[in-house]
Short mmCIF file of all heavy atoms in Angstrom, two decimals:
data_model
loop_
_atom_site.label_atom_id
_atom_site.label_comp_id
_atom_site.label_asym_id
_atom_site.label_seq_id
_atom_site.Cartn_x
_atom_site.Cartn_y
_atom_site.Cartn_z
N ARG A 1 -32.44 -62.33 -24.35
CA ARG A 1 -33.46 -61.63 -25.12
C ARG A 1 -33.87 -60.38 -24.35
O ARG A 1 -34.08 -60.41 -23.15
CB ARG A 1 -34.66 -62.54 -25.38
CG ARG A 1 -34.31 -63.74 -26.24
CD ARG A 1 -35.53 -64.54 -26.65
NE ARG A 1 -36.37 -64.87 -25.53
CZ ARG A 1 -37.69 -64.65 -25.48
NH1 ARG A 1 -38.30 -64.08 -26.50
NH2 ARG A 1 -38.38 -65.00 -24.41
N LEU A 2 -34.01 -59.27 -25.08
CA LEU A 2 -34.07 -57.96 -24.44
C LEU A 2 -35.49 -57.56 -24.05
O LEU A 2 -36.41 -57.56 -24.88
CB LEU A 2 -33.50 -56.92 -25.40
CG LEU A 2 -33.15 -55.54 -24.84
CD1 LEU A 2 -32.05 -55.67 -23.79
CD2 LEU A 2 -32.69 -54.63 -25.98
N THR A 3 -35.66 -57.21 -22.78
CA THR A 3 -36.88 -56.52 -22.36
C THR A 3 -36.82 -55.10 -22.92
O THR A 3 -35.80 -54.43 -22.82
CB THR A 3 -36.97 -56.46 -20.83
OG1 THR A 3 -37.10 -57.79 -20.31
CG2 THR A 3 -38.15 -55.61 -20.37
N THR A 4 -37.92 -54.64 -23.53
CA THR A 4 -37.85 -53.37 -24.24
C THR A 4 -39.22 -52.72 -24.35
O THR A 4 -40.25 -53.36 -24.07
CB THR A 4 -37.26 -53.59 -25.65
OG1 THR A 4 -37.05 -52.33 -26.30
CG2 THR A 4 -38.17 -54.45 -26.51
N VAL A 5 -39.21 -51.48 -24.74
CA VAL A 5 -40.46 -50.75 -25.03
C VAL A 5 -40.69 -50.82 -26.53
O VAL A 5 -39.85 -50.38 -27.32
CB VAL A 5 -40.37 -49.29 -24.56
CG1 VAL A 5 -41.64 -48.54 -24.95
CG2 VAL A 5 -40.15 -49.22 -23.05
N HIS A 6 -41.81 -51.38 -26.90
CA HIS A 6 -42.13 -51.54 -28.32
C HIS A 6 -42.65 -50.22 -28.89
O HIS A 6 -43.68 -49.71 -28.45
CB HIS A 6 -43.18 -52.63 -28.51
CG HIS A 6 -43.67 -52.77 -29.93
ND1 HIS A 6 -42.93 -53.36 -30.91
CD2 HIS A 6 -44.82 -52.36 -30.52
CE1 HIS A 6 -43.59 -53.34 -32.05
NE2 HIS A 6 -44.74 -52.72 -31.85
N GLN A 7 -41.92 -49.68 -29.84
CA GLN A 7 -42.38 -48.49 -30.56
C GLN A 7 -43.04 -48.96 -31.85
O GLN A 7 -42.39 -49.61 -32.67
CB GLN A 7 -41.21 -47.55 -30.86
CG GLN A 7 -41.65 -46.28 -31.54
CD GLN A 7 -40.56 -45.21 -31.53
OE1 GLN A 7 -40.86 -44.05 -31.35
NE2 GLN A 7 -39.32 -45.59 -31.74
N PRO A 8 -44.31 -48.65 -32.08
CA PRO A 8 -45.05 -49.23 -33.21
C PRO A 8 -44.68 -48.60 -34.55
O PRO A 8 -45.47 -47.90 -35.18
CB PRO A 8 -46.51 -48.95 -32.84
CG PRO A 8 -46.45 -47.68 -32.05
CD PRO A 8 -45.16 -47.76 -31.26
N LEU A 9 -43.45 -48.85 -35.01
CA LEU A 9 -42.95 -48.19 -36.21
C LEU A 9 -43.79 -48.52 -37.44
O LEU A 9 -44.10 -47.63 -38.24
CB LEU A 9 -41.49 -48.60 -36.45
CG LEU A 9 -40.47 -48.02 -35.46
CD1 LEU A 9 -39.12 -48.68 -35.66
CD2 LEU A 9 -40.36 -46.52 -35.63
N ARG A 10 -44.13 -49.79 -37.61
CA ARG A 10 -44.90 -50.15 -38.80
C ARG A 10 -46.27 -49.50 -38.77
O ARG A 10 -46.74 -48.98 -39.78
CB ARG A 10 -45.05 -51.67 -38.92
CG ARG A 10 -45.79 -52.07 -40.21
CD ARG A 10 -45.92 -53.58 -40.33
NE ARG A 10 -44.61 -54.18 -40.51
CZ ARG A 10 -44.35 -55.17 -41.37
NH1 ARG A 10 -45.32 -55.63 -42.13
NH2 ARG A 10 -43.16 -55.69 -41.46
N ARG A 11 -46.91 -49.52 -37.62
CA ARG A 11 -48.23 -48.89 -37.53
C ARG A 11 -48.12 -47.39 -37.73
O ARG A 11 -48.99 -46.76 -38.34
CB ARG A 11 -48.86 -49.19 -36.17
CG ARG A 11 -50.32 -48.72 -36.12
CD ARG A 11 -51.00 -49.07 -34.82
NE ARG A 11 -52.19 -48.25 -34.66
CZ ARG A 11 -52.58 -47.75 -33.50
NH1 ARG A 11 -51.89 -47.97 -32.40
NH2 ARG A 11 -53.68 -47.03 -33.43
N MET A 12 -47.04 -46.78 -37.23
CA MET A 12 -46.82 -45.35 -37.46
C MET A 12 -46.73 -45.08 -38.97
O MET A 12 -47.31 -44.10 -39.47
CB MET A 12 -45.54 -44.90 -36.75
CG MET A 12 -45.67 -44.84 -35.25
SD MET A 12 -44.06 -44.77 -34.39
CE MET A 12 -43.44 -43.20 -34.98
N ALA A 13 -45.99 -45.93 -39.67
CA ALA A 13 -45.85 -45.76 -41.12
C ALA A 13 -47.18 -45.95 -41.83
O ALA A 13 -47.51 -45.22 -42.78
CB ALA A 13 -44.82 -46.74 -41.66
N GLU A 14 -47.96 -46.92 -41.37
CA GLU A 14 -49.27 -47.15 -41.98
C GLU A 14 -50.19 -45.94 -41.78
O GLU A 14 -50.87 -45.50 -42.72
CB GLU A 14 -49.90 -48.41 -41.37
CG GLU A 14 -49.18 -49.69 -41.74
CD GLU A 14 -49.68 -50.89 -40.95
OE1 GLU A 14 -50.44 -50.69 -39.95
OE2 GLU A 14 -49.31 -52.02 -41.29
N GLU A 15 -50.21 -45.43 -40.55
CA GLU A 15 -51.07 -44.28 -40.26
C GLU A 15 -50.61 -43.03 -41.03
O GLU A 15 -51.44 -42.24 -41.50
CB GLU A 15 -51.09 -43.99 -38.76
CG GLU A 15 -51.78 -45.06 -37.92
CD GLU A 15 -53.24 -45.24 -38.30
OE1 GLU A 15 -53.89 -44.24 -38.67
OE2 GLU A 15 -53.73 -46.38 -38.22
N ALA A 16 -49.30 -42.86 -41.17
CA ALA A 16 -48.79 -41.73 -41.94
C ALA A 16 -49.23 -41.82 -43.39
O ALA A 16 -49.61 -40.81 -44.01
CB ALA A 16 -47.26 -41.69 -41.85
N THR A 17 -49.22 -43.02 -43.95
CA THR A 17 -49.61 -43.19 -45.35
C THR A 17 -51.10 -43.00 -45.53
O THR A 17 -51.55 -42.39 -46.52
CB THR A 17 -49.19 -44.59 -45.84
OG1 THR A 17 -47.82 -44.83 -45.49
CG2 THR A 17 -49.35 -44.71 -47.35
N ARG A 18 -51.90 -43.49 -44.60
CA ARG A 18 -53.35 -43.28 -44.69
C ARG A 18 -53.69 -41.80 -44.62
O ARG A 18 -54.54 -41.30 -45.37
CB ARG A 18 -54.05 -44.04 -43.56
CG ARG A 18 -53.99 -45.56 -43.69
CD ARG A 18 -54.87 -46.25 -42.66
NE ARG A 18 -54.74 -47.69 -42.76
CZ ARG A 18 -54.01 -48.43 -41.91
NH1 ARG A 18 -53.39 -47.84 -40.90
NH2 ARG A 18 -53.91 -49.73 -42.06
N LEU A 19 -53.01 -41.09 -43.71
CA LEU A 19 -53.24 -39.65 -43.60
C LEU A 19 -52.84 -38.96 -44.89
O LEU A 19 -53.56 -38.07 -45.39
CB LEU A 19 -52.42 -39.09 -42.43
CG LEU A 19 -52.45 -37.57 -42.23
CD1 LEU A 19 -53.87 -37.07 -42.03
CD2 LEU A 19 -51.56 -37.17 -41.05
N LEU A 20 -51.74 -39.36 -45.47
CA LEU A 20 -51.26 -38.77 -46.72
C LEU A 20 -52.29 -38.97 -47.84
O LEU A 20 -52.60 -38.03 -48.60
CB LEU A 20 -49.93 -39.41 -47.12
CG LEU A 20 -49.22 -38.82 -48.33
CD1 LEU A 20 -48.59 -37.49 -47.97
CD2 LEU A 20 -48.17 -39.78 -48.85
N LEU A 21 -52.84 -40.17 -47.93
CA LEU A 21 -53.81 -40.46 -48.99
C LEU A 21 -55.11 -39.67 -48.79
O LEU A 21 -55.74 -39.25 -49.76
CB LEU A 21 -54.09 -41.96 -49.05
CG LEU A 21 -52.91 -42.82 -49.54
CD1 LEU A 21 -53.24 -44.31 -49.41
CD2 LEU A 21 -52.57 -42.49 -51.00
N ARG A 22 -55.49 -39.48 -47.52
CA ARG A 22 -56.68 -38.66 -47.27
C ARG A 22 -56.43 -37.22 -47.69
O ARG A 22 -57.31 -36.56 -48.28
CB ARG A 22 -57.08 -38.74 -45.80
CG ARG A 22 -57.59 -40.10 -45.35
CD ARG A 22 -58.35 -40.01 -44.04
NE ARG A 22 -57.51 -39.55 -42.94
CZ ARG A 22 -56.79 -40.35 -42.16
NH1 ARG A 22 -56.79 -41.66 -42.37
NH2 ARG A 22 -56.08 -39.84 -41.16
N MET A 23 -55.25 -36.72 -47.38
CA MET A 23 -54.90 -35.36 -47.79
C MET A 23 -54.85 -35.26 -49.31
O MET A 23 -55.28 -34.27 -49.90
CB MET A 23 -53.55 -34.96 -47.18
CG MET A 23 -53.59 -34.83 -45.65
SD MET A 23 -51.94 -34.74 -44.91
CE MET A 23 -51.31 -33.24 -45.66
N ARG A 24 -54.34 -36.30 -49.95
CA ARG A 24 -54.29 -36.34 -51.42
C ARG A 24 -55.70 -36.26 -52.01
O ARG A 24 -55.93 -35.67 -53.06
CB ARG A 24 -53.59 -37.63 -51.86
CG ARG A 24 -53.74 -37.99 -53.33
CD ARG A 24 -53.05 -37.01 -54.22
NE ARG A 24 -53.13 -37.43 -55.61
CZ ARG A 24 -52.94 -36.64 -56.65
NH1 ARG A 24 -52.67 -35.36 -56.45
NH2 ARG A 24 -53.01 -37.09 -57.88
N GLY A 25 -56.66 -36.83 -51.29
CA GLY A 25 -58.04 -36.79 -51.74
C GLY A 25 -58.76 -35.49 -51.40
O GLY A 25 -59.95 -35.37 -51.65
N GLY A 26 -58.03 -34.54 -50.81
CA GLY A 26 -58.62 -33.24 -50.52
C GLY A 26 -59.10 -33.05 -49.10
O GLY A 26 -59.62 -31.98 -48.75
N GLU A 27 -58.90 -34.06 -48.25
CA GLU A 27 -59.36 -33.95 -46.87
C GLU A 27 -58.38 -33.14 -46.03
O GLU A 27 -57.17 -33.35 -46.10
CB GLU A 27 -59.51 -35.35 -46.27
CG GLU A 27 -59.97 -35.37 -44.82
CD GLU A 27 -60.10 -36.77 -44.27
OE1 GLU A 27 -60.48 -37.68 -45.04
OE2 GLU A 27 -59.82 -36.96 -43.07
N GLU A 28 -58.89 -32.23 -45.23
CA GLU A 28 -58.07 -31.50 -44.28
C GLU A 28 -57.97 -32.31 -43.00
O GLU A 28 -58.99 -32.70 -42.43
CB GLU A 28 -58.68 -30.12 -43.98
CG GLU A 28 -58.60 -29.14 -45.12
CD GLU A 28 -57.17 -28.70 -45.40
OE1 GLU A 28 -56.37 -28.69 -44.45
OE2 GLU A 28 -56.86 -28.39 -46.56
N PRO A 29 -56.76 -32.61 -42.51
CA PRO A 29 -56.64 -33.44 -41.30
C PRO A 29 -57.26 -32.75 -40.10
O PRO A 29 -57.10 -31.55 -39.89
CB PRO A 29 -55.13 -33.61 -41.13
CG PRO A 29 -54.51 -32.48 -41.90
CD PRO A 29 -55.45 -32.19 -43.03
N ALA A 30 -58.00 -33.55 -39.29
CA ALA A 30 -58.63 -33.00 -38.09
C ALA A 30 -57.60 -32.57 -37.07
O ALA A 30 -57.80 -31.64 -36.31
CB ALA A 30 -59.58 -34.04 -37.49
N THR A 31 -56.47 -33.27 -37.05
CA THR A 31 -55.36 -32.91 -36.18
C THR A 31 -54.07 -33.09 -36.94
O THR A 31 -53.98 -33.96 -37.82
CB THR A 31 -55.35 -33.78 -34.90
OG1 THR A 31 -54.24 -33.40 -34.08
CG2 THR A 31 -55.23 -35.25 -35.24
N THR A 32 -53.07 -32.28 -36.64
CA THR A 32 -51.81 -32.36 -37.36
C THR A 32 -50.81 -33.29 -36.68
O THR A 32 -49.75 -33.56 -37.22
CB THR A 32 -51.16 -30.97 -37.52
OG1 THR A 32 -50.97 -30.40 -36.22
CG2 THR A 32 -52.03 -30.07 -38.37
N ARG A 33 -51.14 -33.77 -35.47
CA ARG A 33 -50.20 -34.61 -34.74
C ARG A 33 -50.93 -35.77 -34.11
O ARG A 33 -51.90 -35.59 -33.37
CB ARG A 33 -49.49 -33.80 -33.66
CG ARG A 33 -48.55 -34.60 -32.77
CD ARG A 33 -47.28 -35.00 -33.49
NE ARG A 33 -46.42 -35.80 -32.64
CZ ARG A 33 -45.19 -36.16 -32.97
NH1 ARG A 33 -44.67 -35.79 -34.12
NH2 ARG A 33 -44.45 -36.90 -32.16
N ILE A 34 -50.46 -37.01 -34.38
CA ILE A 34 -51.01 -38.20 -33.77
C ILE A 34 -49.86 -38.97 -33.13
O ILE A 34 -48.87 -39.30 -33.79
CB ILE A 34 -51.71 -39.10 -34.81
CG1 ILE A 34 -52.85 -38.35 -35.49
CG2 ILE A 34 -52.22 -40.38 -34.16
CD1 ILE A 34 -53.48 -39.11 -36.66
N ASP A 35 -49.97 -39.24 -31.82
CA ASP A 35 -48.96 -40.03 -31.10
C ASP A 35 -49.55 -41.39 -30.75
O ASP A 35 -50.59 -41.46 -30.07
CB ASP A 35 -48.51 -39.31 -29.83
CG ASP A 35 -47.54 -38.18 -30.12
OD1 ASP A 35 -46.73 -38.33 -31.05
OD2 ASP A 35 -47.59 -37.15 -29.42
N LEU A 36 -48.89 -42.45 -31.18
CA LEU A 36 -49.35 -43.80 -30.89
C LEU A 36 -48.71 -44.29 -29.60
O LEU A 36 -47.58 -43.93 -29.26
CB LEU A 36 -48.99 -44.73 -32.05
CG LEU A 36 -49.54 -44.32 -33.42
CD1 LEU A 36 -49.16 -45.35 -34.47
CD2 LEU A 36 -51.05 -44.14 -33.37
N ALA A 37 -49.43 -45.14 -28.88
CA ALA A 37 -48.97 -45.59 -27.57
C ALA A 37 -47.95 -46.72 -27.70
O ALA A 37 -48.16 -47.67 -28.45
CB ALA A 37 -50.16 -46.07 -26.74
N PRO A 38 -46.83 -46.63 -26.95
CA PRO A 38 -45.89 -47.75 -26.91
C PRO A 38 -46.37 -48.81 -25.91
O PRO A 38 -47.28 -48.57 -25.11
CB PRO A 38 -44.61 -47.08 -26.41
CG PRO A 38 -45.10 -45.98 -25.52
CD PRO A 38 -46.39 -45.50 -26.13
N THR A 39 -45.75 -49.98 -25.95
CA THR A 39 -46.08 -51.06 -25.03
C THR A 39 -44.80 -51.69 -24.51
O THR A 39 -43.76 -51.67 -25.18
CB THR A 39 -46.95 -52.15 -25.70
OG1 THR A 39 -46.28 -52.61 -26.88
CG2 THR A 39 -48.32 -51.61 -26.07
N LEU A 40 -44.86 -52.25 -23.33
CA LEU A 40 -43.70 -52.91 -22.74
C LEU A 40 -43.68 -54.38 -23.15
O LEU A 40 -44.69 -55.07 -23.08
CB LEU A 40 -43.75 -52.80 -21.21
CG LEU A 40 -42.58 -53.44 -20.46
CD1 LEU A 40 -41.31 -52.62 -20.66
CD2 LEU A 40 -42.91 -53.56 -18.97
N VAL A 41 -42.52 -54.86 -23.58
CA VAL A 41 -42.33 -56.27 -23.93
C VAL A 41 -41.30 -56.84 -22.96
O VAL A 41 -40.12 -56.48 -23.00
CB VAL A 41 -41.83 -56.42 -25.39
CG1 VAL A 41 -41.65 -57.89 -25.73
CG2 VAL A 41 -42.78 -55.75 -26.36
N VAL A 42 -41.75 -57.72 -22.08
CA VAL A 42 -40.88 -58.29 -21.05
C VAL A 42 -40.25 -59.58 -21.57
O VAL A 42 -40.96 -60.51 -21.97
CB VAL A 42 -41.65 -58.55 -19.75
CG1 VAL A 42 -40.72 -59.16 -18.69
CG2 VAL A 42 -42.27 -57.26 -19.22
N ARG A 43 -38.91 -59.62 -21.55
CA ARG A 43 -38.19 -60.84 -21.98
C ARG A 43 -37.23 -61.27 -20.87
O ARG A 43 -37.66 -61.45 -19.73
CB ARG A 43 -37.50 -60.58 -23.32
CG ARG A 43 -38.48 -60.29 -24.46
CD ARG A 43 -37.79 -60.34 -25.82
NE ARG A 43 -38.72 -60.09 -26.93
CZ ARG A 43 -38.80 -58.95 -27.61
NH1 ARG A 43 -37.99 -57.93 -27.30
NH2 ARG A 43 -39.67 -58.80 -28.59
N GLU A 44 -35.94 -61.41 -21.20
CA GLU A 44 -35.02 -62.06 -20.26
C GLU A 44 -33.98 -61.14 -19.64
O GLU A 44 -33.19 -61.60 -18.80
CB GLU A 44 -34.29 -63.20 -20.99
CG GLU A 44 -35.22 -64.28 -21.52
CD GLU A 44 -34.51 -65.22 -22.49
OE1 GLU A 44 -33.35 -64.92 -22.87
OE2 GLU A 44 -35.10 -66.25 -22.87
N SER A 45 -33.94 -59.86 -20.01
CA SER A 45 -32.85 -58.99 -19.52
C SER A 45 -33.19 -58.25 -18.24
O SER A 45 -32.41 -57.43 -17.79
CB SER A 45 -32.46 -57.99 -20.62
OG SER A 45 -33.53 -57.09 -20.88
#
């Protein structure tokens, strides 16, 4: 089982969709770029 860096793809997709819906509602985004933090997952490799 692989030790790896977890990239939060699902959360990234969720945040992208929330931002999209806010923009759809007329809100101007406070920032145009949001970077989510990765985490280390230690397994057997």
Side-chain angles (χ1 to χ4, degrees):
R1 296 188 309 129
L2 195 63
T3 295
T4 186
V5 176
H6 175 76
Q7 183 166 219
L9 289 170
R10 183 179 294 222
R11 189 177 161 218
M12 288 163 64
E14 292 171 349
E15 292 299 326
T17 311
R18 292 188 183 102
L19 175 58
L20 186 75
L21 291 173
R22 292 197 297 271
M23 294 167 62
R24 166 66 176 161
E27 179 180 326
E28 289 292 330
T31 179
T32 57
R33 176 73 182 188
I34 300 173
D35 282 325
L36 303 182
T39 54
L40 181 71
V41 181
V42 179
R43 296 192 179 104
E44 299 167 351
S45 66

